[in-house]
Amino acid sequence: MPLSRIMPPNSDFSPIMAADISKGPLKRPSVAMVQEVSRAKKAEREQRLSRRPEWRLKQQVPPDLTDVSALPTSQLTPREHGIVHLDATALAEAIRERRYTAVEVLKAFCHVATIAQDLTNCLTEVFFDEGLRRAEELDRYIEETGGVVGPLHGVPVSIKDHVLVKGHDTATGYAAWAFRTIAEKDAVCVDILRKAGAVIYVKTANPQTLLSLETNNNIYGRTLNPHNRSLTPGGSSGGESALIAVHGSPLGIGTDIGGSIRIPAAYMGLYGLKGSVGRMPHAGLMGSHDGMDAIIGALGPIATSARDLALFCRVMLQHEPWLAEPPLLEIPWKQPVADGSSIPEKLTVAILWDDGVVTPHPPILDALKRVKGALLAAGHDVITWEPVGHQEAWDLILKLYFLDGGEEYRQMLEHDPPVPQTDWILSQVPNGGKPYTVAELFKINLEREAFRAKVLTHWNAAKARTSTGRHIDAVLSPVAATLAPRHDTTRWWGYTSYWNLMDYPAVVFPVGRFRAADYQPQKLPDGAVHRGDPRSETERVVRAQWDPDTYDNISVSLQLVGRRLNEERLLGMLGKVEHALSRFQDQ
């Protein structure tokens, strides 16, 4: 991009239209064609990676080596090592102060990303050369003007595959779309990132259908957890989480309609934010069910620090994306609130120990107890959140996911064999696989609003149980019932999808790693969780998955949930929670 085209905040946007994707004929592929598409896409990716042999791992890695998390950075110089271990906020500052150039920063991350791909299968589209040309332009700009293009000047940002990036494929995990969905313009969020000075250099894997909390498709295959390759990095933003966790990207874009930002962030020990619908740009995403708005996903960041979540949101909203995307709400970002201004000194936090459907595994309950102790030690008020209708919520959101009875998915998968997690979610399709009528859709929408009203009333009524006499500020909850599980075994979405149904913002944060050696679960408050026979087949399956050795060295994370459209306040409260936890651990 010429320097004259580098644009400041508030520059004009144009809406994303269907014509902005150059689609070839979307014929239903045969099984043989799916195999050929897979071979061709992998060969294209390999050809691009092989242009930089110096970035490949020099040592042979045995296929049965499970923990490969240290290898992607093992060949870096000390200077490069320092670069890739900075968060996006610190990187932007270092480039602005000319301690690093944009080019050397990008090269360091490309080096790590190359090895990360070889070990975890996390990348789809690779365009390092394009990114380096952009980085060179940014370095010239700072040399010639003494200033930066914007707050992300020179910061590499990775993009989930189904988000439009101009000139690149948007296969979205569907073989029928590979090579036929070349974006003719950027998604709104990518456009903003470029105007803020970010460098776009890779797209990352997402699963077939996107409606999965693991990452696997018939084009590229399965994405692996670098801390244990027999486990999943989560989904549907699993390519992002695997890449960022090994420092192949400092900041990435995910999307979330049932947990697809929060689950990958949690499984990989990262930070992830799912905001309320209407706050972050969402135009320019490929996927099934375009036009369905009974339940809508949210776009958001996955990062290595909480402050980078706020940085991403601030960048998105300073460019006034509501001028390009009509459904967005004109709510400017309030950074002082995210920094803690106006957040009560004494929070009231309600802890969800058990959702009434599936009891979480012991390390997650231990983490809840530890954070509770930290909050109490810091003088905060802590009560128990009594679960409200979590099975009912799952049954309802399934209706919203599959208003057409799953027909569009079945058509897409006619000759693109469902991977195991696709098979599982399609087994959950309600209504006997038949589409709902218009009258039934109206009724389902009423059910959704009645459920939201019921939970809001419950939230407000909890004021009577707080020591402060104030409303609950946030709910502290598990992100999932398990830590990162073995491939193809994810069975319960309820700890995340519940908050999509409510449209409440939720932020995931890491609290440590599980160590299996000599592990003993902590004693919990009486009645906190269900201890009897499994309440359902789902709970029986999840309970049977518990084995300390399976999860050794795997990240333990929690989520904090706030009121609708209160993303800044949520991040401000997270700051207080993490401060309390830090002080508690230091004692």
Side-chain angles (χ1 to χ4, degrees):
M1 180 183 295
L3 296 184
S4 61
R5 292 188 59 199
I6 295 177
M7 303 180 74
N10 306 315
S11 53
D12 290 340
F13 295 92
S14 57
I16 295 286
M17 307 296 288
D20 295 320
I21 305 161
S22 177
K23 286 186 180 179
L26 296 182
K27 298 180 294 184
R28 301 289 177 226
S30 66
V31 173
M33 189 182 299
V34 170
Q35 293 171 346
E36 176 58 24
V37 163
S38 173
R39 185 204 64 76
K41 288 300 290 184
K42 289 177 179 177
E44 176 188 70
R45 180 181 61 186
E46 174 57 27
Q47 188 271 332
R48 293 175 179 177
L49 290 169
S50 65
R51 293 173 187 169
R52 297 281 186 161
E54 69 274 19
W55 290 342
R56 303 312 274 266
L57 190 64
K58 304 302 186 289
Q59 68 187 82
Q60 292 293 317
V61 178
D64 59 352
L65 180 65
T66 55
D67 186 353
V68 296
S69 57
L71 294 178
T73 58
S74 63
Q75 297 177 170
L76 299 183
T77 66
R79 183 174 175 86
E80 290 171 328
H81 195 272
I83 287 171
V84 300
H85 281 80
L86 294 176
D87 68 358
T89 301
L91 270 174
E93 180 183 358
I95 295 170
R96 184 171 62 250
E97 295 177 352
R98 305 197 197 187
R99 286 183 274 133
Y100 299 126
T101 66
V103 167
E104 69 174 324
V105 165
L106 183 61
K107 285 182 175 180
F109 280 102
C110 289
H111 190 164
V112 178
T114 299
I115 299 174
Q117 159 55 32
D118 288 342
L119 296 173
T120 69
N121 193 33
C122 57
L123 303 183
T124 56
E125 305 300 316
V126 175
F127 36 100
F128 294 158
D129 291 342
E130 179 183 315
L132 287 168
R133 287 193 295 272
R134 170 65 163 159
E136 289 168 358
E137 292 166 357
L138 292 167
D139 285 338
R140 287 200 304 271
Y141 186 91
I142 202 169
E143 283 296 324
E144 293 173 6
T145 69
V148 295
V149 166
L152 292 177
H153 186 108
V155 175
V157 178
S158 48
I159 309 294
K160 188 176 179 178
D161 192 63
H162 78 120
V163 180
L164 299 184
V165 175
K166 183 178 179 179
H168 298 286
D169 207 355
T170 322
T172 313
Y174 285 133
W177 289 359
F179 297 112
R180 296 181 172 90
T181 48
I182 308 301
E184 295 185 356
K185 71 184 300 183
D186 288 328
V188 170
C189 62
V190 175
D191 193 23
I192 291 173
L193 288 170
R194 292 195 200 275
K195 289 168 181 171
V199 178
I200 313 301
Y201 64 116
V202 290
K203 296 184 76 178
T204 59
N206 63 231
Q208 183 187 58
T209 75
L210 287 169
L211 202 60
S212 175
L213 297 184
E214 300 186 22
T215 300
N216 187 9
N217 61 61
N218 289 324
I219 304 172
Y220 299 103
R222 190 188 304 282
T223 302
L224 311 177
N225 184 322
H227 293 289
N228 183 337
R229 293 194 291 177
S230 68
L231 309 180
T232 179
S236 60
S237 308
E240 283 297 324
S241 65
L243 180 66
I244 297 169
V246 294
H247 307 284
S249 169
L251 179 66
I253 288 181
T255 53
D256 189 318
I257 200 171
S260 288
I261 288 172
R262 289 162 291 157
I263 290 288
Y267 288 174
M268 299 311 309
L270 302 169
Y271 292 82
L273 175 65
K274 180 209 79 70
S276 296
V277 171
R279 286 226 65 186
M280 293 297 118
H282 197 259
L285 277 59
M286 288 282 289
S288 298
H289 290 168
D290 280 353
M292 190 277 285
D293 62 1
I295 187 78
I296 301 174
L299 181 145
I302 298 176
T304 60
S305 69
R307 66 179 183 172
D308 282 357
L309 304 180
L311 172 64
F312 177 89
C313 295
R314 186 168 73 249
V315 166
M316 287 294 118
L317 298 188
Q318 77 176 31
H319 285 262
E320 301 180 346
W322 46 82
L323 298 178
E325 193 175 332
L328 296 184
L329 301 170
E330 188 174 344
I331 307 176
W333 185 253
K334 299 175 283 292
Q335 186 59 38
V337 178
D339 290 336
S341 173
S342 78
I343 304 298
E345 283 301 314
K346 184 176 183 178
L347 295 176
T348 296
V349 176
I351 297 181
L352 174 63
W353 297 91
D354 182 326
D355 66 1
V357 182
V358 178
T359 298
H361 283 180
I364 298 164
L365 299 172
D366 293 348
L368 288 171
K369 182 178 180 181
R370 188 162 72 253
V371 177
K372 176 185 177 180
L375 291 171
L376 290 173
H380 299 293
D381 185 23
V382 180
I383 65 172
T384 295
W385 174 265
E386 300 296 338
V388 179
H390 282 249
Q391 183 64 57
E392 177 189 355
W394 177 241
D395 295 341
L396 178 53
I397 205 168
L398 281 174
K399 296 177 185 178
L400 298 172
Y401 289 153
F402 296 111
L403 292 173
D404 68 344
E407 179 59 25
E408 183 174 346
Y409 290 125
R410 288 194 293 270
Q411 289 179 5
M412 288 298 302
L413 300 172
E414 186 176 354
H415 299 293
D416 189 353
V419 299
Q421 278 291 293
T422 299
D423 261 337
W424 177 80
I425 193 63
L426 291 179
S427 76
Q428 306 293 302
V429 175
N431 202 38
K434 302 188 300 293
Y436 291 98
T437 66
V438 172
E440 288 170 331
L441 173 57
F442 290 168
K443 182 180 178 183
I444 292 168
N445 286 340
L446 289 174
E447 290 177 20
R448 179 194 63 204
E449 295 312 304
F451 187 85
R452 288 173 172 174
K454 178 169 66 175
V455 176
L456 178 61
T457 298
H458 180 71
W459 186 301
N460 292 338
K463 175 181 180 180
R465 296 193 290 118
T466 68
S467 67
T468 60
R470 295 190 300 102
H471 288 297
I472 292 170
D473 293 300
V475 174
L476 179 69
S477 164
V479 188
T482 73
L483 306 183
R486 294 191 182 279
H487 299 296
D488 303 327
T489 65
T490 300
R491 288 297 180 271
W492 181 238
W493 297 21
Y495 285 101
T496 48
S497 62
Y498 189 92
W499 305 111
N500 292 90
L501 181 62
M502 289 303 300
D503 195 27
Y504 286 3
V507 62
V508 165
F509 61 102
V511 294
R513 289 193 176 279
F514 175 66
R515 305 298 180 190
D518 302 319
Y519 173 70
Q520 291 294 325
Q522 296 184 28
K523 181 175 172 54
L524 299 177
D526 290 341
V529 299
H530 175 69
R531 296 294 193 188
D533 293 338
R535 292 164 288 190
S536 64
E537 176 62 13
T538 301
E539 185 167 54
R540 185 196 67 76
V541 170
V542 172
R543 186 180 290 184
Q545 291 175 342
W546 170 240
D547 173 10
D549 290 338
T550 297
Y551 304 103
D552 186 43
N553 197 37
I554 295 302
S555 300
V556 182
S557 299
L558 299 173
Q559 70 176 329
L560 199 65
V561 181
R563 288 185 184 265
R564 184 169 178 264
L565 299 171
N566 273 250
E567 287 76 14
E568 298 96 329
R569 184 175 173 83
L570 180 63
L571 293 182
M573 291 188 289
L574 174 60
K576 288 193 174 294
V577 171
E578 290 203 302
H579 179 68
L581 189 57
S582 175
R583 291 181 59 191
F584 189 67
Q585 290 172 334
D586 289 341
Q587 292 176 359

